[in-house]
Amino acid sequence: MPVRDKLYFASDFHLGTGTYDSSRQREDKIVRWLDSIKHDAAEVFLVGDVFDFWFEYKSVVPKGYIRFLGKLAELADAGVKLYLFKGNHDMWMFDYFVEEFGATIISNELKIERNGKKFFIHHGDGLGPGDNFYKFLKGFFRSRFCQWLFARIHPNLGVGIANKWSRHSRDTNAKKDNPKPGEQEWLVTFCREELKNSFYDYLVFGHRHFPLDIQITPQSRYVNLGEWITQFSYAVFDGNELKLEYFEKGNE
């Protein structure tokens, strides 16, 4: 039997964005990736914005993604530990994934140690300097009052409003977000501040949509997982080293 000893990290699938066909093609590719790692994965960390929008009503969840969800259930049944992080597009996860396949839902950061290596993991939104308006909105959207208020809206209307907001948010971020080198990358600034308080070998984020591997100090690295719309990038920890990799990139 293969040994399950690897940690896999991916982010920003944005399932549901684009046309139905493009989202299905992306879902199929994600399922193939999950199928390719199921033999040696001990833990899988999906670090936010897995869905372009997600809200769990008391007895209703968004339709679709059945192949992806089925593959997650298969991994969970095989003993793979799953972690789903709340991103800025799917922050309204509650207990559906916990009940269906025992996933751990992470609202903010997760700090873990594996094989002597320390990890700081976060979707990446609302960190670092500036962007105070978004930080305010994030606090409001995550409030119980906002969640209660949205739950009062019929799903047909609520999901339509949320999808329109997601498209607006994505388009706005695409216009203002560009990868910046080294010290100018705003998550690098956050990492430097965080490392003043605690040591981590790896600080792992999504959100930025750019695969990045930046040496912060001689012992610590900032790794951004990129996205699965054009890059299809992820990271794997084999017990010794964390590496960025690409799935079927040459097939595009």
Side-chain angles (χ1 to χ4, degrees):
M1 292 291 291
V3 177
R4 295 187 182 277
D5 57 359
K6 293 184 179 178
L7 277 58
Y8 288 91
F9 304 81
S11 181
D12 293 85
F13 296 159
H14 285 279
L15 287 168
T17 190
T19 64
Y20 174 81
D21 288 342
S22 67
S23 183
R24 266 297 313 277
Q25 290 173 7
R26 186 160 60 256
E27 180 182 8
D28 289 344
K29 191 163 190 171
I30 294 164
V31 167
R32 291 197 301 275
W33 172 66
L34 291 171
D35 201 51
S36 75
I37 69 174
K38 67 181 181 182
H39 65 287
D40 63 5
E43 299 174 272
V44 175
F45 300 80
L46 302 180
V47 189
D49 285 359
V50 171
F51 306 97
D52 204 53
F53 167 71
W54 186 268
F55 185 85
E56 295 174 23
Y57 293 86
K58 185 175 181 180
S59 57
V60 176
V61 296
K63 71 176 184 178
Y65 324 120
I66 190 66
R67 292 159 185 83
F68 169 67
L69 297 177
K71 184 57 64 173
L72 289 184
E74 180 184 333
L75 265 64
D77 290 347
V80 179
K81 178 61 181 173
L82 303 175
Y83 299 82
L84 274 75
F85 287 66
K86 295 180 180 181
N88 51 301
H89 282 258
D90 51 14
M91 65 178 66
W92 287 335
M93 293 182 184
F94 304 124
D95 58 6
Y96 177 73
F97 299 114
V98 178
E99 293 177 352
E100 289 299 319
F101 31 76
T104 298
I105 305 298
I106 308 298
S107 294
N108 294 298
E109 71 274 2
L110 177 65
K111 303 174 184 179
I112 61 171
E113 183 172 344
R114 298 291 187 271
N115 209 35
K117 300 291 187 179
K118 294 184 177 181
F119 294 77
F120 179 101
I121 313 165
H122 191 289
H123 178 60
D125 60 316
L127 301 180
D131 211 3
N132 292 324
F133 180 64
Y134 169 72
K135 292 174 182 177
F136 167 78
L137 284 180
K138 180 179 178 180
F140 173 69
F141 286 152
R142 287 198 174 190
S143 68
R144 289 184 179 273
F145 172 72
C146 182
Q147 293 165 11
W148 177 88
L149 196 64
F150 192 86
R152 309 277 77 76
I153 303 174
H154 189 281
N156 287 348
L157 178 59
V159 172
I161 293 172
N163 283 334
K164 185 174 181 179
W165 175 265
S166 290
R167 287 193 298 271
H168 170 74
S169 173
R170 189 171 51 258
D171 292 344
T172 300
N173 288 333
K175 291 177 182 178
K176 70 180 183 180
D177 262 356
N178 292 297
K180 299 178 181 179
E183 299 296 327
Q184 298 178 38
E185 171 64 23
W186 52 266
L187 278 174
V188 169
T189 301
F190 172 81
C191 290
R192 289 198 176 278
E193 291 300 314
E194 189 67 26
L195 288 168
K196 290 178 182 179
N197 302 315
S198 302
F199 171 78
Y200 300 99
D201 295 275
Y202 305 109
L203 298 100
V204 181
F205 304 91
H207 187 56
R208 296 286 282 123
H209 287 206
F210 304 108
L212 297 170
D213 189 340
I214 298 176
Q215 199 79 37
I216 304 294
T217 72
Q219 297 81 28
S220 302
R221 285 160 48 200
Y222 155 47
V223 175
N224 198 287
L225 300 169
E227 44 77 16
W228 279 66
I229 299 174
T230 61
Q231 298 292 337
F232 318 110
S233 49
Y234 65 98
V236 56
F237 177 67
D238 62 5
N240 296 305
E241 187 75 10
L242 182 71
K243 296 180 181 179
L244 271 176
E245 297 189 359
Y246 297 82
F247 184 69
E248 295 182 354
K249 189 66 182 291
N251 296 340
E252 295 304 304

